[in-house]
Every structure is written in C-alpha cells, then in structure tokens.
Amino acid sequence: MSYSNTTLLSLPLVLGFLWKFFIQQFLSRRRLPLPPGPKPLPLLGNVLDMPSDYPWLTYDKWRQQYGDIISLQAFGHTIVIIGSAEVAYDLFEKRSSIYSDRMLSPVLTYSLFRMGYDWDFAFMPYGDNWRRHRRVFHQFFNQGAIDKYHPVQMRESLAFVQRLLDTPQQLNHHIQQTFAATIMDIAYGIRVSGENDKYARAAADALASVSEAGVPGKFLVDLIPILKYVPAWVPGADFQKKAAYWRELKDRFINDPFKAVKDAINRGAPVRPSMLSSLLETFPEEVDKDEGEQIARNCAAIAYGGGADTTVSAVEIFFLAMLIYPDVQKKAQQELDSVVGAHRLPEFSDRNNLPYINALVKETMRWQSVTPLGVPHGTTTDDVYNGYFIPKGSIVFGNAWSILHDPIAYPQPEVFKPERFLKDGKLNPEVRDPSVAAFGFGRRICPGRHFSNNSLFILIALVLSTFDVTPPLDTKGERVRMAPAVTSGLLSHPEVFKCSITPRSKEAEALIREAQWEGV
C-alpha cells in the first residue's frame, strides 16, 4: 500500500490506540485463541498485510494456508474472513442474532456519515429502524410479489435488444440504460428517456462513490481511524474532499426523483403506479407521516440502487463469458431454438422449459462475483466457534469469491460451465446454488435477489435467441483472444472490453424490429 507524508504527521495520533491494543492483547491471552492468520506485528497488527486491491484474492490464498476462517488485527480491531459456505452458514444463519450487525471500515463509516447514507438499510446497524425498512422493502420484492414486474422487465429487455441492433458498439451504455429504466419505472413510475436520464446519471455517480469508499484499506484512515479528524487540506486527507463531493451526488440521487413524484401527487397530477406512490398513499401503521415519507423515499432509492447497479455488472459478466466460451453460447442457442423456435421471442412463460438458460444464469452469478466480499457484518457479542474466540465488535467478511470458487463444490471453478448445474437435462438440486453467497448472507442477504434473477433470465434469453456475440477482430483479421479481467471495489465490474454483436439471421432481426410490449 502507498502512504503519503500524512503517516509521519499522524504518528502521535496513533498513541490513542495503543491502550486499547495492549488491553486486547492482554485479555486475549486469557481467552481462547483468535482464528488463525498472518502473524501480526507489534502495535501495527496486520496493517501492512492488508491488500487495497482485489482483497478477496489475497484472502482466498490465506484461506488455503490457514483454513476456512481467518483473522487479522489492525490497531486493536479484529477482522474475520470466512472462506467456506459451511462456516458462513454456521455463523450468518445459525447465529444470525450475533452476526447481523454492520461493522464498516472507518473510511466507509465516516464517508457514509458525511455522504448521508444512513438512509440505506444495507448499511444500517441491526435494529428496529433496519427492520422497518427491510419489512417495507420486502413487501414489494418478495418471491411472491415480483411476477407483477414481468411486463416492465420484458418491455425494457425488448428495448435493449432493439438498441443493441442499431448501436451494438454502445453495449455498456445500453445495459445501464435498460436496468435504470426498469427499476426507475418500478420504484418511481418514471419512464427514463430524454430529460429523465438525469436521474439515471445521478444514481450511477452516487453508487460508484459508495463502491470506491467501500474497499477496506484503500485509504490510510481505514487503518488509523483517528485520521478522520485531520483537516481536508492536510496532504493525504483527500478522503475528506471526496466524502463531501459524494454527499452532493447522494442528495441528487435520493431526493430528486422522490420530490418529482411527491410534488406531482400534491398537485393532483396523474402519476404512474409505483412502489413510491403506493407507499406515499399508505404508510406503515407504526410510523407518523414524516417518518413514513422518509421510509418511502429510502426504500425507493434502495430499490433503484440495487436494481440499477449489481444487475448491470452481472449482465456485463454474461457478455464477457460468451466471448470467452463460444461453445456455451451455441448450446444455449440450440436449447432456445428447440423450445422457442425461430418465429417468436422467448418470454417468461418459457422459463421452466429452458434448463440450460437457467443454469447459465446461475453460472453467471458464480463465475465472477459481483460483490466478492460484500458489505461486512459485525458481531454484537463475544462468540466462540470451533475453539476460536471472536470478540464483540469484530468486522466479519463473507468471502463470496472463495465460496463460489470452492473446487469441491464447483470442479474447475475458474471455468464458465453451466453444465455443472445440470443432471439428466434438468437442474440438479444437489449442486450448491450460487445464491448462498452471491447476494450476501443471513439476515443481510439482498432482498432484491429474486427480482435480479428474473431480470438476468429474460435479458439473457432474448440476447441469445437473436444475436451472436463474438470477440472483435485484430489487425490480421483473427478473433482477439479474451480473458476475464474485473475491477476492484465493493462492487466489481468486468474491465472494459470490445465485442461484435450481430443478428443471428434476417428473421431474428425482423423479430427484434417488430417486437412490442403493450400494457405498461
């Protein structure tokens, strides 16, 4: 990790941590041992060991060396990394009352405070406020409620393939626009086009800032939390300026569409049915109007943030996989041709008859994790697991990357292979479903996971039934050899790549151009 001169200026501030450090070290000798891990240095602990980029890969190597549960020390703080589905289930599920709090990195905690992200229940401490938000959100995105969103998802997925036909070189923009439009309609009843694109841009900028702030160890203040009091003008304190800027982005993201819908309702203007309009009409019984409006605003923004960001990354991963594994693409197209045929486009009603497409969706979630480490949990009390002591206030990561690349559960985990989820032409329930880690853990699991799964299915089915996705040509006219490469951050995206996207046939092109979806 690279540090600025702030390190020297901040050494006196470190003294405030020494007492806590020595006390913890003294007490730990009288208790069971912490989980194993790299040997900590005096005072510093494992500060110099902690990776700032792609930490999940380093943690996975340590898992192979030390075991499925490891620990690090940083100025008296205990960081626990869980690297197996079994341990994750034991702690996040069986002991969810202990492991459901949020214990964020100092810079993320401070940045979220400065940014005003206390509204997002993904980052809220475990408690009544979190439960109220989660309960409201769940009523709109539970597995029994999401089928009503099929028409919007179908409409925007059809719009996606139509845009892809005209300007395939703008793939990433089209993916972002599709999911921004889908969730903006569902959450706010706002159709994203023209002037309303400002909402999508504001959300994209705000969510990118959270991803940057969420990498543990990226900023020196992660390791020396007292540096959050250092003025912004001190060299190395750039996180102060960034946090202030990120708050401006957040304000536009969370408030502008909320005000637009609320103002329209107050004027008596017609508004499209949406999650927000429904909540503004009927508040939860246990809250007053002001708190009800706040919960409505927050939950709509949470829906938008989740639906317009993580699913975007998953679709980008799908396209990357098709470039690297053309045989998978051919098998998926053969199934679509057999079940759907060449004279119509696939719909949600075809899903039960498309096991390979469903397996491909699962493999997309597994192969390159969208949130490789997720948002860290925190322990509310001391705990003992398998003879190891896990103190109260520990920061606990579930390493989704390790879990989803377990060579026992997923032989050849680096290979994109949908067949691993199939047996005798059907989905094999004995194979571990990627949802055990891809969407988080325990009570903190993503409540929009079923909606995201549906979005992935219909878009993948439509793309593969109508297009061939191939690598671009080099100067010699040969296909460029592609390799998986992703970004580091709280949310991981594939590195920017180029590809060739062409209609499979003249009939497929005609189906795309003529496609319409009425009723929404």
Side-chain angles (χ1 to χ4, degrees):
M1 297 179 63
S2 59
Y3 302 124
S4 69
N5 291 334
T6 309
T7 305
L8 297 177
L9 295 173
S10 306
L11 286 178
L13 301 177
V14 178
L15 295 176
F17 292 94
L18 299 186
W19 178 251
K20 179 179 179 180
F21 177 83
F22 281 121
I23 287 295
Q24 185 178 50
Q25 294 300 304
F26 173 75
L27 291 177
S28 65
R29 296 190 189 101
R30 301 176 60 183
R31 294 176 173 144
L32 294 170
L34 296 170
K39 185 177 180 180
L41 294 172
L43 303 183
L44 294 177
N46 299 106
V47 165
L48 301 182
D49 298 316
M50 294 178 64
S52 58
D53 291 319
Y54 305 100
W56 54 89
L57 298 180
T58 299
Y59 296 156
D60 187 59
K61 291 179 181 178
W62 289 345
R63 177 194 62 81
Q64 297 172 37
Q65 180 179 356
Y66 299 108
D68 291 339
I69 179 169
I70 64 176
S71 70
L72 307 171
Q73 296 293 305
F75 294 114
H77 295 281
T78 299
I79 302 171
V80 177
I81 299 101
I82 297 170
S84 76
E86 292 77 16
V87 177
Y89 182 79
D90 286 346
L91 299 186
F92 293 134
E93 294 286 349
K94 291 183 177 179
R95 306 186 189 187
S96 58
S97 61
I98 297 175
Y99 290 86
S100 294
D101 203 8
R102 280 294 187 226
M103 194 66 65
L104 308 177
S105 71
V107 73
L108 184 55
T109 301
Y110 181 60
S111 296
L112 291 174
F113 171 75
R114 287 285 304 275
M115 296 157 69
Y117 269 84
D118 53 340
W119 57 270
D120 191 339
F121 69 72
F123 303 114
M124 285 179 186
Y126 186 63
D128 290 340
N129 193 35
W130 173 82
R131 291 188 187 91
R132 281 194 291 270
H133 280 77
R134 177 87 176 197
R135 185 162 55 249
V136 167
F137 191 93
H138 181 74
Q139 74 183 70
F140 290 92
F141 288 95
N142 66 75
Q143 198 162 11
I146 56 173
D147 286 358
K148 64 185 177 185
Y149 304 131
H150 284 176
V152 176
Q153 291 173 303
M154 188 71 186
R155 182 195 71 206
E156 295 302 333
S157 295
L158 288 173
F160 171 76
V161 293
Q162 290 168 343
R163 289 191 291 265
L164 206 57
L165 183 64
D166 294 330
T167 53
Q169 68 276 12
Q170 297 183 31
L171 171 64
N172 293 90
H173 173 73
H174 295 330
I175 296 172
Q176 294 170 4
Q177 183 177 357
T178 296
F179 291 106
T182 300
I183 200 65
M184 181 64 75
D185 193 351
I186 290 169
Y188 297 100
I190 295 175
R191 296 289 294 269
V192 173
S193 61
E195 182 183 354
N196 289 337
D197 280 342
K198 64 184 180 182
Y199 300 127
R201 290 194 298 271
D205 292 341
L207 295 169
S209 71
V210 176
S211 181
E212 182 179 358
V215 180
K218 184 176 181 65
F219 298 92
L220 185 60
V221 70
D222 271 338
L223 310 176
I224 309 176
I226 202 170
L227 291 182
K228 67 185 180 182
Y229 300 111
V230 172
W233 54 265
V234 174
D238 57 329
F239 63 89
Q240 299 274 26
K241 297 177 183 178
K242 288 189 175 184
Y245 172 64
W246 291 338
R247 186 182 186 97
E248 295 177 12
L249 297 179
K250 181 276 304 180
D251 286 341
R252 294 202 299 269
F253 161 48
I254 189 174
N255 290 323
D256 288 359
F258 171 77
K259 290 179 180 178
V261 174
K262 182 182 175 182
D263 290 348
I265 292 175
N266 291 340
R267 294 194 312 270
V271 295
R272 290 170 55 82
S274 69
M275 176 182 182
L276 179 59
S277 63
S278 176
L279 288 173
L280 290 176
E281 291 171 0
T282 307
F283 299 123
E285 293 181 0
E286 69 272 19
V287 302
D288 58 26
K289 180 180 179 181
D290 289 341
E291 185 178 2
E293 286 192 355
Q294 186 180 60
I295 292 175
R297 182 201 67 172
N298 295 349
C299 286
I302 292 164
Y304 185 92
D309 201 9
T310 55
T311 313
V312 167
S313 179
V315 172
E316 292 170 348
I317 290 168
F318 154 72
F319 274 95
L320 179 61
M322 295 303 95
L323 297 176
I324 301 174
Y325 297 95
D327 290 345
V328 170
Q329 183 174 179
K330 290 178 182 178
K331 290 178 181 178
Q333 290 172 332
Q334 289 170 358
E335 181 181 74
L336 286 161
D337 292 344
S338 174
V339 173
V340 178
H343 304 297
R344 68 177 180 90
L345 296 175
E347 300 179 2
F348 278 104
S349 58
D350 297 309
R351 186 163 195 177
N352 290 338
N353 298 318
L354 295 170
Y356 194 85
I357 298 298
N358 284 298
L360 197 156
V361 170
K362 291 180 182 293
E363 186 70 341
T364 298
M365 293 188 294
R366 185 207 66 83
W367 182 55
Q368 299 292 331
S369 304
V370 173
T371 52
L373 280 177
V375 184
H377 294 226
T379 53
T380 53
T381 65
D382 291 345
D383 192 26
V384 175
Y385 178 74
N386 283 358
Y388 296 123
F389 174 65
I390 301 174
K392 175 183 178 180
S394 294
I395 301 171
V396 186
F397 286 95
N399 191 347
W401 172 270
S402 288
I403 295 170
L404 298 177
H405 287 76
D406 177 356
I408 304 300
Y410 310 109
Q412 295 181 292
E414 72 284 354
V415 177
F416 189 91
K417 188 177 180 181
E419 291 85 356
R420 69 176 79 249
F421 295 103
L422 297 172
K423 183 178 181 180
D424 299 328
K426 298 179 181 180
L427 288 175
N428 184 0
E430 296 179 1
V431 178
R432 181 184 296 157
D433 194 289
S435 62
V436 301
F439 295 101
F441 304 92
R443 297 181 187 179
R444 290 289 187 163
I445 194 169
C446 172
R449 61 193 181 280
H450 305 301
F451 176 83
S452 176
N453 186 284
N454 281 353
S455 295
L456 271 178
F457 164 78
I458 195 60
L459 189 140
I460 286 174
L462 283 169
V463 167
L464 292 180
S465 71
T466 54
F467 290 103
D468 287 319
V469 182
T470 55
L473 301 177
D474 61 18
T475 55
K476 297 180 180 180
E478 298 178 354
R479 296 290 183 190
V480 175
R481 187 171 181 177
M482 310 293 289
V486 298
T487 62
S488 185
L490 188 66
L491 180 70
S492 181
H493 286 267
E495 297 279 5
V496 176
F497 59 85
K498 294 182 179 180
C499 63
S500 174
I501 304 172
T502 55
R504 294 181 63 195
S505 65
K506 290 292 184 182
E507 188 169 14
E509 181 176 351
L511 283 174
I512 295 170
R513 294 200 182 280
E514 297 168 2
Q516 294 183 356
W517 194 258
E518 303 295 340
V520 289

